[in-house]
Amino acid sequence: MRQLDEDPSAAAPDAARGTGAGAPDDDGAPTGDVTSDEGAPTGDVPPGEGAPTGDVPPGEGAPTGDVPSDEGALRESAPPDEGAPQESAPRGEGAPPAPEGGAPRRPAEGRLRRVGRWIKEHYCTIDVRTLGLFRLVLGFLLSADCVRHWAEASWIYSNDGVLTNHYHLFHPSSGYNFSLYHAFSSTGEVHVAFALSLFCFLCYFVGWHTRLFAILSFVLVASRDNRIVMIENGGYVVVNIITCWAMFMPTGRRFSVDALIRSYRERRERTAADLADRRRPEWAERPYVSGIVLLAILNLATIYYFNVVNKSGQIWHRGETVHYVLHLDRMVTGIAVIARELIPFWAMKGLTWGVLVVEALLVTWILSPYGRRFTRALAMGGMWALHGSFGVMMRLGPFSWFMIGWSFLLPTAQHWDALARWYRRGAAPRVVVYDGDSPLAFALMRFLVRLDNLELLRFEEARAVPAGGAEAAGGGEPRAELFEVRDPSDPADGRVFRGAAALREVVRALPGGRFAWPFLWALTLGAPGALLGVVSRRRDGIARYFGLTRAPRGRAVGVVESPSPLRERLARGRVIAREVVIAYLGLCAVSQALNENKSVPAFLKHTQPKFVQATIVYPRTLQGWGMFAPNPITEDGSISVDAITVDGRHVDPFTGLPPDLNLSDARGLGLGQIQQDYFNRIRLDRNKPFRKPGLQDYLLRYHERTGRPEDEIVAYDVYWVRDQCPKPGEIAPYKNEAIPILSYRKPGYRPRPGLPALPPLLKEASAEK
């Protein structure tokens, strides 16, 4: 990752940025060897990963590698009766003689295919449950990050802020700049833009029209970044990259509204016997195979590799980095302020070297093709520990949290199976007895079947109530409970749960239900039983309202129509086009990584074609990595404004408080990432064009924001206030200075009687010297 204080727009002109072209196909178009019915990839994955292999006899529960495909990637041509290349070919007249004392050599083509199969099994295959979990995490992070930016929208993204859209359109802060947010001008319009963005991110989170909203999410995050590149840091680049790669993944196959709707469409249960059929469709079980998996994993490992090799400075070697970082008051949180006062210097040295060791180990753990049950788990744990500590200690924006989100691409089928075994040990099977005469009860059972991935629930229709029975209210026909739950461990005299207890037992038997029940209880205000009772009493009216009185229509359970040959060819064409786009984006990423990282030898650096630069720059998917490299920042600083109001007061319009021109006594400035990065970038000489009119106009509108005429500003001086971080082993900063970078006096202004004259206009200086 680039230096956090470095403006990415100032990178070498030959180093282009980004990726983006080529929209992926829909969620039903995975890669790999797939059956024509399901569109899911074949099981060309390691046997230990919990997925079927391609080389198994028919009838063993896994399809062979040579099957028709309507949505998968290109198949490997295999000889009849075999899922892999033959060991040797028959020798003809022109065949080379076999080596003495041994079998004939394998052809080069066979070796290449075996290598390709090995790469596909170890690096191009991913469990669809992992993709579903990844979507949930990424969607949540995108939504939270959207809310974070929304809170700053008025001063950073609207025309009432520091950079108007029309000025930026004619003076772009980077080449190949495009942003949908340029279409929104006023604060109100920008709020609408962020509301629409949040809607898209939430739709992606729940998995509704997943592919569409994955593409829109990528366009929106890239547009938000391009709207004001000045505040971009490595975290924004990580968001752009991870959202770009997610576009090409079928993240809606599991744990999504799309998967639920597709399941309802393909399985129309009509009886309790249908509910007992737990066979899942192949599209929900088969692993996904594509080059995008390889690209995402390699890109993740590349980040840590360059983060290690680019940190070549003496401060890192001496173990002083953590000391300096914890004394950057513009970046640190309150927790870091406490930590730097309690952690001894020798421990900070150990933490510095520990960061390098962990980052180096993460590269090997992520890329290890063997023992992935352990190496991938170690990688996830290391990433959570490393970035979790960064996130709570420093205000780095989205970097730490989205790197943790990226780690959710690492779980394999073995991890899911181990998690299922662990959860089943603490869960109890239950029998759900539902009212067979209620369409609402049956609809609820159909829903529970789709949530019961551990198959701990069984379903039975309620027995007829004896004729002598009567409801508590009396006078009506006896009616069974909407549903009740029975403990099957004692069939003769098992416990029966009703009301809130029945709901609790059902939820706890579902995956993750033990942890979800307290939230459900709180969501119902502690009265789930009362709410369930209302639903039970009005079950017929609710069923009529939702149209549940009609018998399910459609195909029989488990029957899926076979696609036509034309549809198969079109699906294969889509997959080929997608994989070509992925390969192109991968080459662009490699080119950018070679050009942008300082540790790459000079002979590998090259001039990129214009179309590659455009591919990189527009979506801002950069590849320069090296946080605090080659050395960390040793100079702290921030913007402070000394503004004079019409009534003679001195105020800083950014804080509403008197200006502070001394950082030496600071214990953290409490600045958010957006504000502190804007302050750090606007002081740079290359960003002078954005001080006037952008920053100047924003400051002069201070009285409009406060609604107080007496807050009108008649003069101001903008300072870059800086000091040097304490020397290793010390705690006191030194060499505080205030450098004027922008000065203003209202033309023709005469102070009111009794007020002093305005001070003379200051000479602006460079804050980079």
Side-chain angles (χ1 to χ4, degrees), residues 479-496:
R479 191 75 184 269
E481 293 280 343
L482 184 66
F483 69 86
E484 61 185 27
V485 176
R486 190 175 72 246
D487 183 356
S489 59
D490 186 4
D493 189 22
R495 291 180 297 169
V496 176

PDB file of all heavy atoms in Angstrom, residues 479-496:
ATOM      1  N   ARG A 479     -58.654 -26.539  17.247  1.00  0.00           N
ATOM      2  CA  ARG A 479     -57.645 -26.185  16.243  1.00  0.00           C
ATOM      3  C   ARG A 479     -56.268 -26.499  16.790  1.00  0.00           C
ATOM      4  O   ARG A 479     -55.940 -26.163  17.936  1.00  0.00           O
ATOM      5  CB  ARG A 479     -57.742 -24.685  15.918  1.00  0.00           C
ATOM      6  CG  ARG A 479     -56.914 -24.264  14.696  1.00  0.00           C
ATOM      7  CD  ARG A 479     -57.607 -24.716  13.433  1.00  0.00           C
ATOM      8  NE  ARG A 479     -56.824 -24.422  12.239  1.00  0.00           N
ATOM      9  CZ  ARG A 479     -56.930 -23.289  11.538  1.00  0.00           C
ATOM     10  NH1 ARG A 479     -57.787 -22.354  11.942  1.00  0.00           N
ATOM     11  NH2 ARG A 479     -56.222 -23.126  10.447  1.00  0.00           N
ATOM     12  N   ALA A 480     -55.456 -27.130  15.971  1.00  0.00           N
ATOM     13  CA  ALA A 480     -54.088 -27.444  16.390  1.00  0.00           C
ATOM     14  C   ALA A 480     -53.279 -26.161  16.501  1.00  0.00           C
ATOM     15  O   ALA A 480     -53.628 -25.111  15.940  1.00  0.00           O
ATOM     16  CB  ALA A 480     -53.443 -28.387  15.376  1.00  0.00           C
ATOM     17  N   GLU A 481     -52.177 -26.233  17.230  1.00  0.00           N
ATOM     18  CA  GLU A 481     -51.237 -25.111  17.289  1.00  0.00           C
ATOM     19  C   GLU A 481     -50.697 -24.822  15.884  1.00  0.00           C
ATOM     20  O   GLU A 481     -50.615 -25.719  15.046  1.00  0.00           O
ATOM     21  CB  GLU A 481     -50.076 -25.455  18.211  1.00  0.00           C
ATOM     22  CG  GLU A 481     -50.436 -25.610  19.672  1.00  0.00           C
ATOM     23  CD  GLU A 481     -50.572 -24.274  20.371  1.00  0.00           C
ATOM     24  OE1 GLU A 481     -50.077 -23.262  19.813  1.00  0.00           O
ATOM     25  OE2 GLU A 481     -51.185 -24.223  21.450  1.00  0.00           O
ATOM     26  N   LEU A 482     -50.335 -23.572  15.631  1.00  0.00           N
ATOM     27  CA  LEU A 482     -49.705 -23.249  14.358  1.00  0.00           C
ATOM     28  C   LEU A 482     -48.512 -24.174  14.149  1.00  0.00           C
ATOM     29  O   LEU A 482     -48.342 -24.758  13.083  1.00  0.00           O
ATOM     30  CB  LEU A 482     -49.271 -21.787  14.330  1.00  0.00           C
ATOM     31  CG  LEU A 482     -48.672 -21.296  13.011  1.00  0.00           C
ATOM     32  CD1 LEU A 482     -49.725 -21.309  11.906  1.00  0.00           C
ATOM     33  CD2 LEU A 482     -48.064 -19.915  13.171  1.00  0.00           C
ATOM     34  N   PHE A 483     -47.693 -24.289  15.181  1.00  0.00           N
ATOM     35  CA  PHE A 483     -46.672 -25.336  15.223  1.00  0.00           C
ATOM     36  C   PHE A 483     -46.219 -25.494  16.656  1.00  0.00           C
ATOM     37  O   PHE A 483     -46.294 -24.570  17.457  1.00  0.00           O
ATOM     38  CB  PHE A 483     -45.488 -25.033  14.295  1.00  0.00           C
ATOM     39  CG  PHE A 483     -44.636 -23.875  14.730  1.00  0.00           C
ATOM     40  CD1 PHE A 483     -43.592 -24.044  15.631  1.00  0.00           C
ATOM     41  CD2 PHE A 483     -44.879 -22.598  14.227  1.00  0.00           C
ATOM     42  CE1 PHE A 483     -42.805 -22.979  16.025  1.00  0.00           C
ATOM     43  CE2 PHE A 483     -44.090 -21.531  14.617  1.00  0.00           C
ATOM     44  CZ  PHE A 483     -43.058 -21.709  15.506  1.00  0.00           C
ATOM     45  N   GLU A 484     -45.821 -26.689  16.973  1.00  0.00           N
ATOM     46  CA  GLU A 484     -45.206 -26.982  18.253  1.00  0.00           C
ATOM     47  C   GLU A 484     -43.986 -27.857  18.009  1.00  0.00           C
ATOM     48  O   GLU A 484     -43.815 -28.408  16.925  1.00  0.00           O
ATOM     49  CB  GLU A 484     -46.191 -27.666  19.197  1.00  0.00           C
ATOM     50  CG  GLU A 484     -46.717 -28.989  18.693  1.00  0.00           C
ATOM     51  CD  GLU A 484     -47.775 -29.582  19.611  1.00  0.00           C
ATOM     52  OE1 GLU A 484     -48.443 -28.799  20.313  1.00  0.00           O
ATOM     53  OE2 GLU A 484     -47.919 -30.816  19.614  1.00  0.00           O
ATOM     54  N   VAL A 485     -43.137 -27.958  19.002  1.00  0.00           N
ATOM     55  CA  VAL A 485     -41.861 -28.657  18.832  1.00  0.00           C
ATOM     56  C   VAL A 485     -41.768 -29.773  19.849  1.00  0.00           C
ATOM     57  O   VAL A 485     -42.107 -29.597  21.028  1.00  0.00           O
ATOM     58  CB  VAL A 485     -40.686 -27.674  18.988  1.00  0.00           C
ATOM     59  CG1 VAL A 485     -39.356 -28.406  18.901  1.00  0.00           C
ATOM     60  CG2 VAL A 485     -40.758 -26.587  17.920  1.00  0.00           C
ATOM     61  N   ARG A 486     -41.304 -30.941  19.388  1.00  0.00           N
ATOM     62  CA  ARG A 486     -41.180 -32.103  20.251  1.00  0.00           C
ATOM     63  C   ARG A 486     -39.729 -32.561  20.279  1.00  0.00           C
ATOM     64  O   ARG A 486     -39.009 -32.493  19.279  1.00  0.00           O
ATOM     65  CB  ARG A 486     -42.076 -33.230  19.733  1.00  0.00           C
ATOM     66  CG  ARG A 486     -42.201 -34.403  20.706  1.00  0.00           C
ATOM     67  CD  ARG A 486     -43.183 -35.445  20.223  1.00  0.00           C
ATOM     68  NE  ARG A 486     -42.650 -36.211  19.092  1.00  0.00           N
ATOM     69  CZ  ARG A 486     -43.144 -36.168  17.870  1.00  0.00           C
ATOM     70  NH1 ARG A 486     -44.171 -35.380  17.612  1.00  0.00           N
ATOM     71  NH2 ARG A 486     -42.604 -36.896  16.905  1.00  0.00           N
ATOM     72  N   ASP A 487     -39.300 -33.014  21.437  1.00  0.00           N
ATOM     73  CA  ASP A 487     -37.955 -33.577  21.593  1.00  0.00           C
ATOM     74  C   ASP A 487     -37.998 -35.038  21.162  1.00  0.00           C
ATOM     75  O   ASP A 487     -38.683 -35.849  21.795  1.00  0.00           O
ATOM     76  CB  ASP A 487     -37.518 -33.450  23.051  1.00  0.00           C
ATOM     77  CG  ASP A 487     -36.101 -33.952  23.281  1.00  0.00           C
ATOM     78  OD1 ASP A 487     -35.490 -34.465  22.329  1.00  0.00           O
ATOM     79  OD2 ASP A 487     -35.601 -33.828  24.416  1.00  0.00           O
ATOM     80  N   PRO A 488     -37.291 -35.419  20.102  1.00  0.00           N
ATOM     81  CA  PRO A 488     -37.388 -36.804  19.604  1.00  0.00           C
ATOM     82  C   PRO A 488     -36.546 -37.793  20.393  1.00  0.00           C
ATOM     83  O   PRO A 488     -36.566 -38.983  20.075  1.00  0.00           O
ATOM     84  CB  PRO A 488     -36.872 -36.678  18.167  1.00  0.00           C
ATOM     85  CG  PRO A 488     -35.872 -35.568  18.229  1.00  0.00           C
ATOM     86  CD  PRO A 488     -36.386 -34.603  19.270  1.00  0.00           C
ATOM     87  N   SER A 489     -35.789 -37.333  21.387  1.00  0.00           N
ATOM     88  CA  SER A 489     -34.927 -38.263  22.112  1.00  0.00           C
ATOM     89  C   SER A 489     -35.723 -39.268  22.932  1.00  0.00           C
ATOM     90  O   SER A 489     -35.223 -40.346  23.254  1.00  0.00           O
ATOM     91  CB  SER A 489     -33.980 -37.479  23.030  1.00  0.00           C
ATOM     92  OG  SER A 489     -34.725 -36.692  23.958  1.00  0.00           O
ATOM     93  N   ASP A 490     -36.969 -38.920  23.284  1.00  0.00           N
ATOM     94  CA  ASP A 490     -37.822 -39.837  24.039  1.00  0.00           C
ATOM     95  C   ASP A 490     -39.169 -39.924  23.331  1.00  0.00           C
ATOM     96  O   ASP A 490     -40.109 -39.187  23.653  1.00  0.00           O
ATOM     97  CB  ASP A 490     -38.008 -39.331  25.474  1.00  0.00           C
ATOM     98  CG  ASP A 490     -38.766 -40.329  26.333  1.00  0.00           C
ATOM     99  OD1 ASP A 490     -39.068 -41.434  25.842  1.00  0.00           O
ATOM    100  OD2 ASP A 490     -39.058 -39.992  27.496  1.00  0.00           O
ATOM    101  N   PRO A 491     -39.289 -40.807  22.320  1.00  0.00           N
ATOM    102  CA  PRO A 491     -40.528 -40.837  21.527  1.00  0.00           C
ATOM    103  C   PRO A 491     -41.765 -41.101  22.355  1.00  0.00           C
ATOM    104  O   PRO A 491     -42.840 -40.612  22.028  1.00  0.00           O
ATOM    105  CB  PRO A 491     -40.271 -41.976  20.524  1.00  0.00           C
ATOM    106  CG  PRO A 491     -38.779 -42.167  20.510  1.00  0.00           C
ATOM    107  CD  PRO A 491     -38.299 -41.788  21.882  1.00  0.00           C
ATOM    108  N   ALA A 492     -41.628 -41.871  23.407  1.00  0.00           N
ATOM    109  CA  ALA A 492     -42.808 -42.234  24.189  1.00  0.00           C
ATOM    110  C   ALA A 492     -43.343 -41.043  24.986  1.00  0.00           C
ATOM    111  O   ALA A 492     -44.546 -40.819  25.053  1.00  0.00           O
ATOM    112  CB  ALA A 492     -42.473 -43.388  25.139  1.00  0.00           C
ATOM    113  N   ASP A 493     -42.468 -40.323  25.608  1.00  0.00           N
ATOM    114  CA  ASP A 493     -42.914 -39.229  26.478  1.00  0.00           C
ATOM    115  C   ASP A 493     -41.971 -38.035  26.320  1.00  0.00           C
ATOM    116  O   ASP A 493     -41.372 -37.560  27.281  1.00  0.00           O
ATOM    117  CB  ASP A 493     -42.948 -39.710  27.937  1.00  0.00           C
ATOM    118  CG  ASP A 493     -43.625 -38.684  28.853  1.00  0.00           C
ATOM    119  OD1 ASP A 493     -44.397 -37.870  28.319  1.00  0.00           O
ATOM    120  OD2 ASP A 493     -43.340 -38.711  30.060  1.00  0.00           O
ATOM    121  N   GLY A 494     -41.771 -37.584  25.079  1.00  0.00           N
ATOM    122  CA  GLY A 494     -40.852 -36.487  24.815  1.00  0.00           C
ATOM    123  C   GLY A 494     -41.440 -35.157  25.248  1.00  0.00           C
ATOM    124  O   GLY A 494     -42.664 -34.968  25.314  1.00  0.00           O
ATOM    125  N   ARG A 495     -40.558 -34.231  25.551  1.00  0.00           N
ATOM    126  CA  ARG A 495     -41.001 -32.890  25.922  1.00  0.00           C
ATOM    127  C   ARG A 495     -41.629 -32.210  24.723  1.00  0.00           C
ATOM    128  O   ARG A 495     -41.183 -32.366  23.599  1.00  0.00           O
ATOM    129  CB  ARG A 495     -39.836 -32.064  26.429  1.00  0.00           C
ATOM    130  CG  ARG A 495     -39.286 -32.509  27.773  1.00  0.00           C
ATOM    131  CD  ARG A 495     -38.137 -31.620  28.186  1.00  0.00           C
ATOM    132  NE  ARG A 495     -37.022 -31.723  27.228  1.00  0.00           N
ATOM    133  CZ  ARG A 495     -35.969 -30.902  27.224  1.00  0.00           C
ATOM    134  NH1 ARG A 495     -35.915 -29.904  28.089  1.00  0.00           N
ATOM    135  NH2 ARG A 495     -34.999 -31.079  26.345  1.00  0.00           N
ATOM    136  N   VAL A 496     -42.637 -31.392  24.969  1.00  0.00           N
ATOM    137  CA  VAL A 496     -43.323 -30.639  23.931  1.00  0.00           C
ATOM    138  C   VAL A 496     -43.208 -29.166  24.274  1.00  0.00           C
ATOM    139  O   VAL A 496     -43.460 -28.753  25.413  1.00  0.00           O
ATOM    140  CB  VAL A 496     -44.808 -31.060  23.805  1.00  0.00           C
ATOM    141  CG1 VAL A 496     -45.518 -30.194  22.773  1.00  0.00           C
ATOM    142  CG2 VAL A 496     -44.911 -32.530  23.442  1.00  0.00           C
TER     143      VAL A 496
END
